Amino acid sequence: QVQLVESGGGLVQPGGSLRLSCAVSGNSASSYALSWFRQAPGKEQEFVGAIRRPNGATYYADSLRGRFTMSRDSAKNTFYLQMNSLKPEDTAVYYCARLVNPITSTIRNRDRYDAWGQGTQVTVSS
């Protein structure tokens, strides 16, 4: 059974940076996408970014491209979301999720994901 555990959230001032981690265990799929979604209070959950395995392709929400970057440490089986130049509107609970056998058209669709972490709170405020 795959498990995803997020960490690294917290309180940061506007303009600051945070790096979120998603530790993956029990994953037996060789073709998958590991993605980040976020949900702000009173808003729908939205796609943030994804890394596709095994080819390493990355995908980002257009509005976040250039500020957010995904990476992976294969030795630790951990995925990261580096968030820079944070804004108050980035405040949300951030979730990592896995999609098996992804195709490009499904990566941004949260309904296609079969495993989710518990979420980590990110608050951007002065």
Side-chain angles (χ1 to χ4, degrees):
Q1 183 80 4
V2 63
Q3 287 192 319
L4 309 174
V5 180
E6 303 97 334
S7 61
L11 174 65
V12 63
Q13 292 188 341
S17 298
L18 274 179
R19 189 179 76 162
L20 305 184
S21 301
C22 177
V24 182
S25 62
N27 176 46
S28 60
S30 58
S31 173
Y32 64 96
L34 194 291
S35 300
W36 290 92
F37 290 80
R38 69 183 185 182
Q39 187 165 21
K43 294 188 177 181
E44 291 189 355
Q45 196 175 60
E46 65 173 342
F47 173 79
V48 173
I51 289 184
R52 193 167 170 177
R53 300 295 300 166
N55 65 10
T58 55
Y59 306 80
Y60 297 97
D62 290 342
S63 62
L64 301 176
R65 194 183 305 273
R67 292 197 299 124
F68 287 18
T69 304
M70 291 191 66
S71 61
R72 174 180 179 259
D73 184 331
S74 58
K76 297 181 179 179
N77 213 14
T78 299
F79 293 77
Y80 302 99
L81 178 66
Q82 178 68 43
M83 305 185 294
N84 298 327
S85 302
L86 283 163
K87 306 174 181 180
E89 52 263 42
D90 295 317
T91 295
V93 178
Y94 285 71
Y95 300 89
C96 62
R98 183 194 72 166
L99 168 61
V100 177
N101 297 325
I103 57 176
T104 302
S105 62
T106 62
I107 283 177
R108 290 172 171 79
N109 183 349
R110 66 173 305 278
D111 293 335
R112 297 300 185 109
Y113 285 73
D114 70 333
W116 292 80
Q118 81 287 354
T120 186
Q121 175 71 47
V122 172
T123 302
V124 184
S125 175
S126 55

